[in-house]
Amino acid sequence: MKLLIKNGILVTPEGETKADLLIKDGKISKIAEQIQENCKIIDVSGKHVLPGLIDIHVHLREPGFESKEDIQSGSAAAVKGGVTQVCCMPNTNPVCDNAVVVNYILNRAKEVNLCKVHPIGSITKGEQGETLSDIGKMKAAGAVALSDDGKSVMNSYIMRLAMEYANGFGLKCLCHCEDANLADGGVVNEGFNSTVTGLKGSPRAAEDIMIAREIALSESLDIPVHICHVSTCSGVEIIRSAKARGVKVTAETCPHYFILTDDIITSFDTFTKVNPPLRERRDVEEIIRGLQDGTLDCIVTDHAPHSLKDKQAEYDLAAFGISGLETSLALGYTYLVKTGKLTLSALVEKMSAAPAKILGLEGGELKVGAPADITVADFAKSYVIDGGKFVSKGKNTPFNGFCVNGVVEYTIVDGEIKYCNK
Ligand code: DOR
Ligand code: ZN
Ligand code: ZN
């Protein structure tokens, strides 16, 4: 089984180089200026060849919420977006708090056979914040991290135990940071636009307090921790100063937090409803600075597909979340690379190598011997985002009508073409 990718522009941490890339038996077997080989050839002249994207914060909804998404449709959305590996959050029904659900997800993903799927186990049983899940058994079954995403573990004592226990099994906690009491049911950012619209606001402090708590626990225990979907300028600053002290904290953000402000909520379009909420201009600017200076290690989607029924409601009642897998690369390219804020190498690092490193996953690099997980993209090509055309069941994007650059042409997993748009 061989495949030769010819005349592409390879994106590596060092920059961009024109080269051919040969795949043999699912692995990258050779990278050179010119390769001649008697096998299937794809000519990608002028297109970029990236290490397959790795998204460590995705909601696939199966088991239990298959009307929003399932492992088949979510995996199809991933490979359409150039994503070769996803880590899926445990807020399913039943919650992924035991080895049976971990095994179920892994088995379904194998049957679907598109991207690689890594389950994240919940920190607490049923994500109820009270009793620790079967952490050791989930790890043995293949869970790659722990999270109660959708909410914080409000009891700091339980969270401390979770970090210690998880660390004993070599697992990291991925922390959704939201003080539920302070957020108090807020649905948008607390500020000018919450006042104007009359929608209930949730203050930055609700996020920042929990970011600071997770860092305090991590620092005092000397245990690594990962902060999910950072949205506030102040949160970036807390993480920056913790990193400067040597705290083992890593952090992610999402395209909607480096592109959109809460001005967009004045439309009352529920596709703009997400948790944490869209913030203000100064937050967007600080998130970008955090990406530039390394405070924010990686970009994830927090792909949160919902059915139209769950979104077609009053703003207060609609579900939180944005369907993101099919637009993240193009949004990252258009709003970070095209604008000169990050190099393409830096963007790709944040969408592939960095997330792999945070969770100790294989992949993220184009090098001989590595699994042939590869994305080919045409950044010269532009298109207008239309959520109605998503293959994800979640059509909920606030980016409808946005014109972006970056079309995925091929997504290759372990040397097999899983998506082709040629
Ligand atoms: O917007 C969100 N949607 N934020 C979360 O934390 C959970 C997620 C979901 O599961 O829909
Ligand atoms: Zn979350
Ligand atoms: Zn999430």
Side-chain angles (χ1 to χ4, degrees), residues 33-356:
E33 221 167 286
Q34 283 290 334
I35 303 175
Q36 305 296 339
E37 191 79 25
N38 192 10
C39 67
K40 180 177 161 83
I41 295 172
I42 49 181
D43 187 330
V44 298
S45 302
K47 314 291 159 59
H48 284 85
V49 179
L50 328 173
L53 305 181
I54 299 172
D55 191 338
I56 62 171
H57 190 146
V58 164
H59 297 267
L60 292 179
R61 306 299 191 202
E62 187 176 348
F65 298 114
E66 291 84 355
S67 58
K68 296 175 189 284
E69 191 81 291
D70 57 35
I71 292 169
Q72 162 73 46
S73 60
S75 299
V79 295
K80 186 174 162 210
V83 176
T84 52
Q85 303 194 55
V86 301
C87 299
C88 57
M89 283 296 178
N91 60 341
T92 47
N93 185 20
V95 167
C96 184
D97 59 10
N98 63 77
V100 174
V101 182
V102 171
N103 279 320
Y104 172 81
I105 293 167
L106 288 171
N107 288 333
R108 267 305 290 149
K110 202 177 283 172
E111 284 165 12
V112 165
N113 192 25
L114 287 170
C115 61
K116 295 173 184 170
V117 175
H118 307 286
I120 298 167
S122 70
I123 296 172
T124 64
K125 287 202 174 135
E127 290 204 5
Q128 292 302 301
E130 287 159 12
T131 315
L132 295 186
S133 303
D134 294 340
I135 294 174
K137 286 182 185 152
M138 289 196 292
K139 161 82 187 190
V144 295
L146 300 173
S147 181
D148 270 8
D149 186 48
K151 48 191 162 185
S152 283
V153 175
M154 285 301 296
N155 183 322
S156 304
Y157 175 73
I158 302 282
M159 191 61 197
R160 177 213 169 132
L161 286 182
M163 279 192 195
E164 290 182 314
Y165 212 70
N167 189 53
F169 288 102
L171 293 175
K172 238 180 230 184
C173 290
L174 317 181
C175 303
H176 171 113
C177 293
E178 179 182 17
D179 181 312
N181 300 301
L182 186 53
D184 191 30
V187 294
V188 295
N189 177 59
E190 183 178 278
F192 179 80
N193 285 318
S194 63
T195 307
V196 166
T197 56
L199 293 170
K200 185 163 169 55
S202 176
R204 286 185 185 83
E207 180 171 345
D208 299 342
I209 284 166
M210 277 299 169
I211 294 177
R213 184 197 73 173
E214 311 303 26
I215 286 172
L217 288 172
S218 157
E219 188 167 15
S220 64
L221 301 167
D222 195 29
I223 288 174
V225 72
H226 178 76
I227 307 296
C228 290
H229 44 49
V230 177
S231 76
T232 66
C233 52
S234 31
V236 174
E237 190 44 53
I238 294 166
I239 296 162
R240 183 179 288 128
S241 75
K243 284 191 166 190
R245 297 197 296 283
V247 181
K248 293 172 182 156
V249 56
T250 52
E252 64 184 41
T253 192
C254 316
H256 38 280
Y257 301 122
F258 63 70
I259 299 171
L260 302 175
T261 69
D262 66 350
D263 286 345
I264 201 170
I265 67 152
T266 56
S267 65
F268 291 93
D269 178 356
T270 59
F271 288 180
T272 67
K273 183 175 174 182
V274 62
N275 188 17
L278 302 174
R279 307 281 184 186
E280 297 176 62
R281 178 55 52 197
R282 70 175 187 274
D283 299 284
V284 170
E285 286 170 2
E286 194 57 41
I287 295 283
I288 293 170
R289 271 193 292 276
L291 286 166
Q292 289 170 328
D293 73 10
T295 302
L296 301 175
D297 302 85
C298 68
I299 296 170
V300 301
T301 57
D302 193 5
H303 177 72
H306 289 289
S307 64
L308 285 180
K309 194 174 117 281
D310 296 326
K311 280 289 193 182
Q312 284 170 343
E314 297 90 314
Y315 205 96
D316 280 335
L317 301 178
F320 287 101
I322 291 172
S323 182
L325 278 169
E326 289 164 72
T327 52
S328 56
L329 180 62
L331 288 170
Y333 183 84
T334 305
Y335 288 89
L336 296 174
V337 179
K338 221 178 144 189
T339 54
K341 297 195 164 112
L342 287 184
T343 62
L344 180 57
S345 284
L347 175 73
V348 168
E349 197 262 338
K350 288 190 188 292
M351 298 185 78
S352 188

